[in-house]
Amino acid sequence: MAKKPRPATPRVIVTRRLPPNVEARMADLFDTVFNVGDVPMDRAALTRAMAQCDVLVPSVTDQIDAALIEAAPDRLQLIASFGSGVDHIDLGAARSRGIIVTNTPGVLTEDTADMTMALILSVPRRLAEGEKLVRSGNWPGWSPSGMLGHRIRGKRLGIIGMGRIGRAVARRAAAFGLSVAYHNRHRLPFEVEQELSATWHADVDSLLTDSDIVSINCPLNSDSRGMIDARRIGLMRPDAYLINTSRAEITDEPALIAALSEGRIAGAGLDVYAHEPAVDARLLALSNVVLLPHMGSATFEGRDATGARVIANIRSWADGHRPPNQVLEGWV
Ligand SMILES: NC(=O)C1=CN([C@@H]2O[C@H](COP(=O)(O)OP(=O)(O)OC[C@H]3O[C@@H](n4cnc5c(N)ncnc54)[C@H](O)[C@@H]3O)[C@@H](O)[C@H]2O)C=CC1
Ligand SMILES: O=CC(=O)O
């Protein structure tokens, strides 16, 4: 495919409000249009945006599917996503149109691992239930049998997806006395396994059977979509917990809800849902779950660093280079 000329000052359209200093820098560097009202763009708005820019800066909730990409004029050359996951962008369609896709890995790792660890602690120790009890005014006071949960130390954590976030979770887990097992698309080098004291499971099934707590930290891709289905949820022990800070579509959400409702697993900590921002009413009614509003990476520092990554990707592309965080189909 012939290389298209890259404009010196590209027209950039940003789909959501970004931190003020990030927007100021983008306004300085590029011909940037911001979504001043911060209203999520519907399909028609995205189609219009993609028709009017060289670079689109979407967020992880904008569904940039094949039809939108195919309808975009040749002018659109770069989709510089604000966030780490790229499951909302049809990478194959972008490749066929010669559109480069970038993301912002690395800068969200520690924040998302912190939130994953917070869920790992909160669910077995019933943190959200305890907080609600105090606020309700019905707390009868301390008692030997009140608010009992399960000890973290000594339990086994099974991590699915031992990349940046998975490894950062493993490091935190070790400090809380958890032993770590993992399943990953590729086995980690021996030295990394040693550093993390992590045991490899070639198959997901045995990891699920052997773990007290399972944490999903792999990206959503064609292999992981529906990976934790009803059969695999059935392999988990009745006293086991599932934590998901990655993407809901990796699990069969209705099957998970059924297992939680029927006590076939002990509980879950979720940051992601199948139909965000809607959350299934049956989940809301359960007391053995901790539900967060997709806030794994939501820190001021992380958002600034994410913005800096987006800018670096656009600048490097505009200068004629390969952007540092170009995402290649088949690599996520
Ligand atoms: N809740 C939140 O706010 C956030 C969620 N995320 C989610 O976390 C995901 C992971 O992020 P990183 O750790 O930075 O990604 P990463 O690319 O560093 O690591 C992903 C790991 O998963 C493995 N993997 C890929 N497909 C797999 C499969 N089908 N089965 C088993 N392993 C597989 C890869 O080999 C890699 O080791 C993102 O894709 C995103 O969906 C990321 C940031 C914030
Ligand atoms: O879910 C958030 C992301 O950056 O990916």
PDB file of all heavy atoms in Angstrom, residues 115-147:
ATOM      1  N   MET A 115      -5.914  -1.757  41.844  1.00  0.00           N
ATOM      2  CA  MET A 115      -7.360  -1.949  41.948  1.00  0.00           C
ATOM      3  C   MET A 115      -7.706  -3.436  41.929  1.00  0.00           C
ATOM      4  O   MET A 115      -8.627  -3.882  42.619  1.00  0.00           O
ATOM      5  CB  MET A 115      -8.060  -1.198  40.807  1.00  0.00           C
ATOM      6  CG  MET A 115      -9.497  -0.913  41.053  1.00  0.00           C
ATOM      7  SD  MET A 115      -9.806  -0.051  42.601  1.00  0.00           S
ATOM      8  CE  MET A 115      -9.611   1.645  42.097  1.00  0.00           C
ATOM      9  N   THR A 116      -6.951  -4.211  41.167  1.00  0.00           N
ATOM     10  CA  THR A 116      -7.166  -5.666  41.157  1.00  0.00           C
ATOM     11  C   THR A 116      -6.882  -6.230  42.551  1.00  0.00           C
ATOM     12  O   THR A 116      -7.661  -7.027  43.092  1.00  0.00           O
ATOM     13  CB  THR A 116      -6.244  -6.337  40.115  1.00  0.00           C
ATOM     14  OG1 THR A 116      -6.416  -5.679  38.861  1.00  0.00           O
ATOM     15  CG2 THR A 116      -6.538  -7.817  39.974  1.00  0.00           C
ATOM     16  N   MET A 117      -5.769  -5.771  43.131  1.00  0.00           N
ATOM     17  CA  MET A 117      -5.408  -6.246  44.482  1.00  0.00           C
ATOM     18  C   MET A 117      -6.455  -5.801  45.493  1.00  0.00           C
ATOM     19  O   MET A 117      -6.810  -6.557  46.413  1.00  0.00           O
ATOM     20  CB  MET A 117      -4.025  -5.701  44.853  1.00  0.00           C
ATOM     21  CG  MET A 117      -3.359  -6.424  45.999  1.00  0.00           C
ATOM     22  SD  MET A 117      -3.030  -8.158  45.601  1.00  0.00           S
ATOM     23  CE  MET A 117      -3.422  -8.922  47.169  1.00  0.00           C
ATOM     24  N   ALA A 118      -6.982  -4.591  45.315  1.00  0.00           N
ATOM     25  CA  ALA A 118      -8.029  -4.099  46.224  1.00  0.00           C
ATOM     26  C   ALA A 118      -9.243  -5.038  46.166  1.00  0.00           C
ATOM     27  O   ALA A 118      -9.829  -5.372  47.201  1.00  0.00           O
ATOM     28  CB  ALA A 118      -8.435  -2.676  45.847  1.00  0.00           C
ATOM     29  N   LEU A 119      -9.596  -5.496  44.970  1.00  0.00           N
ATOM     30  CA  LEU A 119     -10.733  -6.430  44.848  1.00  0.00           C
ATOM     31  C   LEU A 119     -10.381  -7.783  45.455  1.00  0.00           C
ATOM     32  O   LEU A 119     -11.221  -8.414  46.118  1.00  0.00           O
ATOM     33  CB  LEU A 119     -11.140  -6.589  43.378  1.00  0.00           C
ATOM     34  CG  LEU A 119     -11.904  -5.403  42.776  1.00  0.00           C
ATOM     35  CD1 LEU A 119     -12.080  -5.576  41.269  1.00  0.00           C
ATOM     36  CD2 LEU A 119     -13.272  -5.230  43.439  1.00  0.00           C
ATOM     37  N   ILE A 120      -9.136  -8.224  45.249  1.00  0.00           N
ATOM     38  CA  ILE A 120      -8.722  -9.518  45.819  1.00  0.00           C
ATOM     39  C   ILE A 120      -8.844  -9.484  47.347  1.00  0.00           C
ATOM     40  O   ILE A 120      -9.211 -10.469  47.978  1.00  0.00           O
ATOM     41  CB  ILE A 120      -7.272  -9.858  45.372  1.00  0.00           C
ATOM     42  CG1 ILE A 120      -7.245 -10.155  43.871  1.00  0.00           C
ATOM     43  CG2 ILE A 120      -6.689 -11.015  46.171  1.00  0.00           C
ATOM     44  CD1 ILE A 120      -5.849 -10.289  43.265  1.00  0.00           C
ATOM     45  N   LEU A 121      -8.562  -8.334  47.935  1.00  0.00           N
ATOM     46  CA  LEU A 121      -8.689  -8.202  49.392  1.00  0.00           C
ATOM     47  C   LEU A 121     -10.143  -8.000  49.803  1.00  0.00           C
ATOM     48  O   LEU A 121     -10.605  -8.530  50.809  1.00  0.00           O
ATOM     49  CB  LEU A 121      -7.855  -7.007  49.890  1.00  0.00           C
ATOM     50  CG  LEU A 121      -6.351  -7.069  49.648  1.00  0.00           C
ATOM     51  CD1 LEU A 121      -5.695  -5.764  50.070  1.00  0.00           C
ATOM     52  CD2 LEU A 121      -5.738  -8.230  50.417  1.00  0.00           C
ATOM     53  N   SER A 122     -10.874  -7.221  49.010  1.00  0.00           N
ATOM     54  CA  SER A 122     -12.220  -6.790  49.420  1.00  0.00           C
ATOM     55  C   SER A 122     -13.247  -7.910  49.401  1.00  0.00           C
ATOM     56  O   SER A 122     -14.132  -7.949  50.258  1.00  0.00           O
ATOM     57  CB  SER A 122     -12.752  -5.702  48.478  1.00  0.00           C
ATOM     58  OG  SER A 122     -11.915  -4.608  48.495  1.00  0.00           O
ATOM     59  N   VAL A 123     -13.165  -8.792  48.399  1.00  0.00           N
ATOM     60  CA  VAL A 123     -14.256  -9.764  48.245  1.00  0.00           C
ATOM     61  C   VAL A 123     -14.204 -10.817  49.370  1.00  0.00           C
ATOM     62  O   VAL A 123     -15.191 -10.955  50.104  1.00  0.00           O
ATOM     63  CB  VAL A 123     -14.268 -10.390  46.829  1.00  0.00           C
ATOM     64  CG1 VAL A 123     -15.475 -11.286  46.660  1.00  0.00           C
ATOM     65  CG2 VAL A 123     -14.288  -9.298  45.763  1.00  0.00           C
ATOM     66  N   PRO A 124     -13.079 -11.525  49.569  1.00  0.00           N
ATOM     67  CA  PRO A 124     -13.089 -12.537  50.643  1.00  0.00           C
ATOM     68  C   PRO A 124     -13.271 -11.915  52.039  1.00  0.00           C
ATOM     69  O   PRO A 124     -13.819 -12.554  52.925  1.00  0.00           O
ATOM     70  CB  PRO A 124     -11.701 -13.195  50.529  1.00  0.00           C
ATOM     71  CG  PRO A 124     -11.219 -12.877  49.161  1.00  0.00           C
ATOM     72  CD  PRO A 124     -11.810 -11.549  48.813  1.00  0.00           C
ATOM     73  N   ARG A 125     -12.835 -10.662  52.225  1.00  0.00           N
ATOM     74  CA  ARG A 125     -12.955 -10.022  53.546  1.00  0.00           C
ATOM     75  C   ARG A 125     -14.223  -9.179  53.671  1.00  0.00           C
ATOM     76  O   ARG A 125     -14.434  -8.510  54.666  1.00  0.00           O
ATOM     77  CB  ARG A 125     -11.698  -9.169  53.834  1.00  0.00           C
ATOM     78  CG  ARG A 125     -10.432  -9.994  54.020  1.00  0.00           C
ATOM     79  CD  ARG A 125     -10.549 -10.992  55.189  1.00  0.00           C
ATOM     80  NE  ARG A 125     -10.963 -10.362  56.420  1.00  0.00           N
ATOM     81  CZ  ARG A 125     -10.128  -9.760  57.269  1.00  0.00           C
ATOM     82  NH1 ARG A 125      -8.846  -9.748  57.021  1.00  0.00           N
ATOM     83  NH2 ARG A 125     -10.595  -9.186  58.371  1.00  0.00           N
ATOM     84  N   ARG A 126     -15.084  -9.206  52.674  1.00  0.00           N
ATOM     85  CA  ARG A 126     -16.436  -8.607  52.718  1.00  0.00           C
ATOM     86  C   ARG A 126     -16.415  -7.103  53.002  1.00  0.00           C
ATOM     87  O   ARG A 126     -17.247  -6.580  53.752  1.00  0.00           O
ATOM     88  CB  ARG A 126     -17.272  -9.348  53.763  1.00  0.00           C
ATOM     89  CG  ARG A 126     -17.338 -10.838  53.492  1.00  0.00           C
ATOM     90  CD  ARG A 126     -18.043 -11.594  54.581  1.00  0.00           C
ATOM     91  NE  ARG A 126     -19.440 -11.212  54.714  1.00  0.00           N
ATOM     92  CZ  ARG A 126     -20.245 -11.666  55.681  1.00  0.00           C
ATOM     93  NH1 ARG A 126     -19.791 -12.524  56.567  1.00  0.00           N
ATOM     94  NH2 ARG A 126     -21.490 -11.260  55.745  1.00  0.00           N
ATOM     95  N   LEU A 127     -15.439  -6.418  52.409  1.00  0.00           N
ATOM     96  CA  LEU A 127     -15.264  -4.990  52.672  1.00  0.00           C
ATOM     97  C   LEU A 127     -16.507  -4.153  52.311  1.00  0.00           C
ATOM     98  O   LEU A 127     -16.959  -3.331  53.104  1.00  0.00           O
ATOM     99  CB  LEU A 127     -14.035  -4.507  51.908  1.00  0.00           C
ATOM    100  CG  LEU A 127     -13.586  -3.087  52.202  1.00  0.00           C
ATOM    101  CD1 LEU A 127     -12.070  -3.048  52.341  1.00  0.00           C
ATOM    102  CD2 LEU A 127     -14.004  -2.135  51.096  1.00  0.00           C
ATOM    103  N   ALA A 128     -17.074  -4.412  51.147  1.00  0.00           N
ATOM    104  CA  ALA A 128     -18.216  -3.593  50.708  1.00  0.00           C
ATOM    105  C   ALA A 128     -19.437  -3.843  51.588  1.00  0.00           C
ATOM    106  O   ALA A 128     -20.166  -2.913  51.948  1.00  0.00           O
ATOM    107  CB  ALA A 128     -18.542  -3.885  49.245  1.00  0.00           C
ATOM    108  N   GLU A 129     -19.639  -5.116  51.964  1.00  0.00           N
ATOM    109  CA  GLU A 129     -20.773  -5.431  52.864  1.00  0.00           C
ATOM    110  C   GLU A 129     -20.606  -4.725  54.214  1.00  0.00           C
ATOM    111  O   GLU A 129     -21.580  -4.198  54.776  1.00  0.00           O
ATOM    112  CB  GLU A 129     -20.786  -6.940  53.148  1.00  0.00           C
ATOM    113  CG  GLU A 129     -21.469  -7.784  52.122  1.00  0.00           C
ATOM    114  CD  GLU A 129     -21.417  -9.243  52.567  1.00  0.00           C
ATOM    115  OE1 GLU A 129     -22.296  -9.668  53.330  1.00  0.00           O
ATOM    116  OE2 GLU A 129     -20.463  -9.932  52.157  1.00  0.00           O
ATOM    117  N   GLY A 130     -19.377  -4.744  54.722  1.00  0.00           N
ATOM    118  CA  GLY A 130     -19.110  -4.105  56.016  1.00  0.00           C
ATOM    119  C   GLY A 130     -19.346  -2.610  55.946  1.00  0.00           C
ATOM    120  O   GLY A 130     -19.956  -2.000  56.843  1.00  0.00           O
ATOM    121  N   GLU A 131     -18.921  -1.999  54.854  1.00  0.00           N
ATOM    122  CA  GLU A 131     -19.084  -0.553  54.693  1.00  0.00           C
ATOM    123  C   GLU A 131     -20.560  -0.193  54.647  1.00  0.00           C
ATOM    124  O   GLU A 131     -21.010   0.758  55.291  1.00  0.00           O
ATOM    125  CB  GLU A 131     -18.352  -0.134  53.415  1.00  0.00           C
ATOM    126  CG  GLU A 131     -17.721   1.241  53.463  1.00  0.00           C
ATOM    127  CD  GLU A 131     -18.606   2.296  52.837  1.00  0.00           C
ATOM    128  OE1 GLU A 131     -19.620   1.948  52.197  1.00  0.00           O
ATOM    129  OE2 GLU A 131     -18.283   3.485  52.983  1.00  0.00           O
ATOM    130  N   LYS A 132     -21.326  -1.023  53.914  1.00  0.00           N
ATOM    131  CA  LYS A 132     -22.786  -0.778  53.815  1.00  0.00           C
ATOM    132  C   LYS A 132     -23.459  -0.910  55.183  1.00  0.00           C
ATOM    133  O   LYS A 132     -24.358  -0.150  55.525  1.00  0.00           O
ATOM    134  CB  LYS A 132     -23.412  -1.790  52.849  1.00  0.00           C
ATOM    135  CG  LYS A 132     -23.611  -1.227  51.465  1.00  0.00           C
ATOM    136  CD  LYS A 132     -24.363  -2.218  50.576  1.00  0.00           C
ATOM    137  CE  LYS A 132     -23.643  -2.312  49.250  1.00  0.00           C
ATOM    138  NZ  LYS A 132     -23.592  -3.629  48.678  1.00  0.00           N
ATOM    139  N   LEU A 133     -22.990  -1.903  55.952  1.00  0.00           N
ATOM    140  CA  LEU A 133     -23.583  -2.147  57.272  1.00  0.00           C
ATOM    141  C   LEU A 133     -23.407  -0.924  58.175  1.00  0.00           C
ATOM    142  O   LEU A 133     -24.347  -0.468  58.834  1.00  0.00           O
ATOM    143  CB  LEU A 133     -22.943  -3.396  57.895  1.00  0.00           C
ATOM    144  CG  LEU A 133     -23.411  -3.782  59.288  1.00  0.00           C
ATOM    145  CD1 LEU A 133     -24.908  -4.121  59.292  1.00  0.00           C
ATOM    146  CD2 LEU A 133     -22.620  -4.995  59.804  1.00  0.00           C
ATOM    147  N   VAL A 134     -22.207  -0.385  58.176  1.00  0.00           N
ATOM    148  CA  VAL A 134     -21.954   0.794  59.027  1.00  0.00           C
ATOM    149  C   VAL A 134     -22.840   1.950  58.582  1.00  0.00           C
ATOM    150  O   VAL A 134     -23.508   2.602  59.391  1.00  0.00           O
ATOM    151  CB  VAL A 134     -20.459   1.188  58.982  1.00  0.00           C
ATOM    152  CG1 VAL A 134     -20.238   2.518  59.701  1.00  0.00           C
ATOM    153  CG2 VAL A 134     -19.607   0.100  59.595  1.00  0.00           C
ATOM    154  N   ARG A 135     -22.900   2.189  57.274  1.00  0.00           N
ATOM    155  CA  ARG A 135     -23.707   3.315  56.766  1.00  0.00           C
ATOM    156  C   ARG A 135     -25.203   3.118  57.016  1.00  0.00           C
ATOM    157  O   ARG A 135     -25.952   4.082  57.114  1.00  0.00           O
ATOM    158  CB  ARG A 135     -23.490   3.485  55.263  1.00  0.00           C
ATOM    159  CG  ARG A 135     -22.182   4.132  54.921  1.00  0.00           C
ATOM    160  CD  ARG A 135     -22.109   4.337  53.416  1.00  0.00           C
ATOM    161  NE  ARG A 135     -20.769   4.684  53.022  1.00  0.00           N
ATOM    162  CZ  ARG A 135     -20.289   5.934  53.001  1.00  0.00           C
ATOM    163  NH1 ARG A 135     -21.071   6.932  53.349  1.00  0.00           N
ATOM    164  NH2 ARG A 135     -19.055   6.170  52.643  1.00  0.00           N
ATOM    165  N   SER A 136     -25.632   1.850  57.109  1.00  0.00           N
ATOM    166  CA  SER A 136     -27.071   1.597  57.287  1.00  0.00           C
ATOM    167  C   SER A 136     -27.554   1.992  58.681  1.00  0.00           C
ATOM    168  O   SER A 136     -28.748   2.112  58.932  1.00  0.00           O
ATOM    169  CB  SER A 136     -27.376   0.109  57.045  1.00  0.00           C
ATOM    170  OG  SER A 136     -26.899  -0.650  58.156  1.00  0.00           O
ATOM    171  N   GLY A 137     -26.611   2.127  59.593  1.00  0.00           N
ATOM    172  CA  GLY A 137     -27.002   2.434  60.978  1.00  0.00           C
ATOM    173  C   GLY A 137     -27.437   1.190  61.741  1.00  0.00           C
ATOM    174  O   GLY A 137     -27.848   1.274  62.897  1.00  0.00           O
ATOM    175  N   ASN A 138     -27.335   0.017  61.120  1.00  0.00           N
ATOM    176  CA  ASN A 138     -27.812  -1.218  61.771  1.00  0.00           C
ATOM    177  C   ASN A 138     -26.684  -2.084  62.337  1.00  0.00           C
ATOM    178  O   ASN A 138     -26.904  -3.242  62.690  1.00  0.00           O
ATOM    179  CB  ASN A 138     -28.611  -2.083  60.768  1.00  0.00           C
ATOM    180  CG  ASN A 138     -29.861  -1.371  60.322  1.00  0.00           C
ATOM    181  OD1 ASN A 138     -30.501  -0.672  61.121  1.00  0.00           O
ATOM    182  ND2 ASN A 138     -30.202  -1.498  59.054  1.00  0.00           N
ATOM    183  N   TRP A 139     -25.490  -1.544  62.384  1.00  0.00           N
ATOM    184  CA  TRP A 139     -24.375  -2.347  62.897  1.00  0.00           C
ATOM    185  C   TRP A 139     -24.572  -2.597  64.404  1.00  0.00           C
ATOM    186  O   TRP A 139     -24.636  -1.634  65.177  1.00  0.00           O
ATOM    187  CB  TRP A 139     -23.060  -1.592  62.650  1.00  0.00           C
ATOM    188  CG  TRP A 139     -21.842  -2.278  63.186  1.00  0.00           C
ATOM    189  CD1 TRP A 139     -21.575  -3.597  63.190  1.00  0.00           C
ATOM    190  CD2 TRP A 139     -20.719  -1.630  63.797  1.00  0.00           C
ATOM    191  NE1 TRP A 139     -20.350  -3.850  63.740  1.00  0.00           N
ATOM    192  CE2 TRP A 139     -19.798  -2.641  64.134  1.00  0.00           C
ATOM    193  CE3 TRP A 139     -20.393  -0.301  64.086  1.00  0.00           C
ATOM    194  CZ2 TRP A 139     -18.584  -2.369  64.749  1.00  0.00           C
ATOM    195  CZ3 TRP A 139     -19.176  -0.031  64.694  1.00  0.00           C
ATOM    196  CH2 TRP A 139     -18.285  -1.059  65.018  1.00  0.00           C
ATOM    197  N   PRO A 140     -24.678  -3.858  64.816  1.00  0.00           N
ATOM    198  CA  PRO A 140     -24.943  -4.117  66.228  1.00  0.00           C
ATOM    199  C   PRO A 140     -23.679  -4.041  67.095  1.00  0.00           C
ATOM    200  O   PRO A 140     -23.756  -4.225  68.310  1.00  0.00           O
ATOM    201  CB  PRO A 140     -25.501  -5.551  66.213  1.00  0.00           C
ATOM    202  CG  PRO A 140     -24.953  -6.183  64.979  1.00  0.00           C
ATOM    203  CD  PRO A 140     -24.673  -5.091  64.000  1.00  0.00           C
ATOM    204  N   GLY A 141     -22.522  -3.757  66.493  1.00  0.00           N
ATOM    205  CA  GLY A 141     -21.264  -3.718  67.248  1.00  0.00           C
ATOM    206  C   GLY A 141     -20.466  -4.992  67.029  1.00  0.00           C
ATOM    207  O   GLY A 141     -20.953  -5.963  66.449  1.00  0.00           O
ATOM    208  N   TRP A 142     -19.218  -4.956  67.532  1.00  0.00           N
ATOM    209  CA  TRP A 142     -18.304  -6.103  67.334  1.00  0.00           C
ATOM    210  C   TRP A 142     -18.857  -7.354  67.987  1.00  0.00           C
ATOM    211  O   TRP A 142     -19.434  -7.276  69.080  1.00  0.00           O
ATOM    212  CB  TRP A 142     -16.932  -5.767  67.934  1.00  0.00           C
ATOM    213  CG  TRP A 142     -15.887  -6.795  67.563  1.00  0.00           C
ATOM    214  CD1 TRP A 142     -15.087  -6.777  66.482  1.00  0.00           C
ATOM    215  CD2 TRP A 142     -15.567  -8.004  68.290  1.00  0.00           C
ATOM    216  NE1 TRP A 142     -14.285  -7.892  66.457  1.00  0.00           N
ATOM    217  CE2 TRP A 142     -14.555  -8.671  67.563  1.00  0.00           C
ATOM    218  CE3 TRP A 142     -16.040  -8.603  69.450  1.00  0.00           C
ATOM    219  CZ2 TRP A 142     -13.994  -9.878  67.970  1.00  0.00           C
ATOM    220  CZ3 TRP A 142     -15.477  -9.815  69.859  1.00  0.00           C
ATOM    221  CH2 TRP A 142     -14.468 -10.448  69.114  1.00  0.00           C
ATOM    222  N   SER A 143     -18.695  -8.476  67.324  1.00  0.00           N
ATOM    223  CA  SER A 143     -19.028  -9.745  67.980  1.00  0.00           C
ATOM    224  C   SER A 143     -18.122 -10.820  67.396  1.00  0.00           C
ATOM    225  O   SER A 143     -17.654 -10.688  66.258  1.00  0.00           O
ATOM    226  CB  SER A 143     -20.497 -10.109  67.747  1.00  0.00           C
ATOM    227  OG  SER A 143     -20.644 -10.692  66.474  1.00  0.00           O
ATOM    228  N   PRO A 144     -17.876 -11.896  68.156  1.00  0.00           N
ATOM    229  CA  PRO A 144     -16.967 -12.938  67.646  1.00  0.00           C
ATOM    230  C   PRO A 144     -17.457 -13.540  66.331  1.00  0.00           C
ATOM    231  O   PRO A 144     -16.661 -14.026  65.543  1.00  0.00           O
ATOM    232  CB  PRO A 144     -16.969 -13.996  68.760  1.00  0.00           C
ATOM    233  CG  PRO A 144     -17.393 -13.262  69.977  1.00  0.00           C
ATOM    234  CD  PRO A 144     -18.340 -12.178  69.529  1.00  0.00           C
ATOM    235  N   SER A 145     -18.721 -13.485  66.058  1.00  0.00           N
ATOM    236  CA  SER A 145     -19.237 -14.123  64.843  1.00  0.00           C
ATOM    237  C   SER A 145     -19.629 -13.110  63.765  1.00  0.00           C
ATOM    238  O   SER A 145     -20.185 -13.481  62.736  1.00  0.00           O
ATOM    239  CB  SER A 145     -20.456 -14.990  65.193  1.00  0.00           C
ATOM    240  OG  SER A 145     -21.421 -14.161  65.839  1.00  0.00           O
ATOM    241  N   GLY A 146     -19.325 -11.806  64.011  1.00  0.00           N
ATOM    242  CA  GLY A 146     -19.784 -10.783  63.058  1.00  0.00           C
ATOM    243  C   GLY A 146     -18.850 -10.624  61.859  1.00  0.00           C
ATOM    244  O   GLY A 146     -17.632 -10.634  61.997  1.00  0.00           O
ATOM    245  N   MET A 147     -19.419 -10.513  60.696  1.00  0.00           N
ATOM    246  CA  MET A 147     -18.707 -10.162  59.456  1.00  0.00           C
ATOM    247  C   MET A 147     -17.499 -11.058  59.163  1.00  0.00           C
ATOM    248  O   MET A 147     -16.460 -10.581  58.710  1.00  0.00           O
ATOM    249  CB  MET A 147     -18.267  -8.688  59.479  1.00  0.00           C
ATOM    250  CG  MET A 147     -19.377  -7.671  59.340  1.00  0.00           C
ATOM    251  SD  MET A 147     -20.480  -7.918  57.927  1.00  0.00           S
ATOM    252  CE  MET A 147     -19.391  -7.841  56.562  1.00  0.00           C
TER     253      MET A 147
END
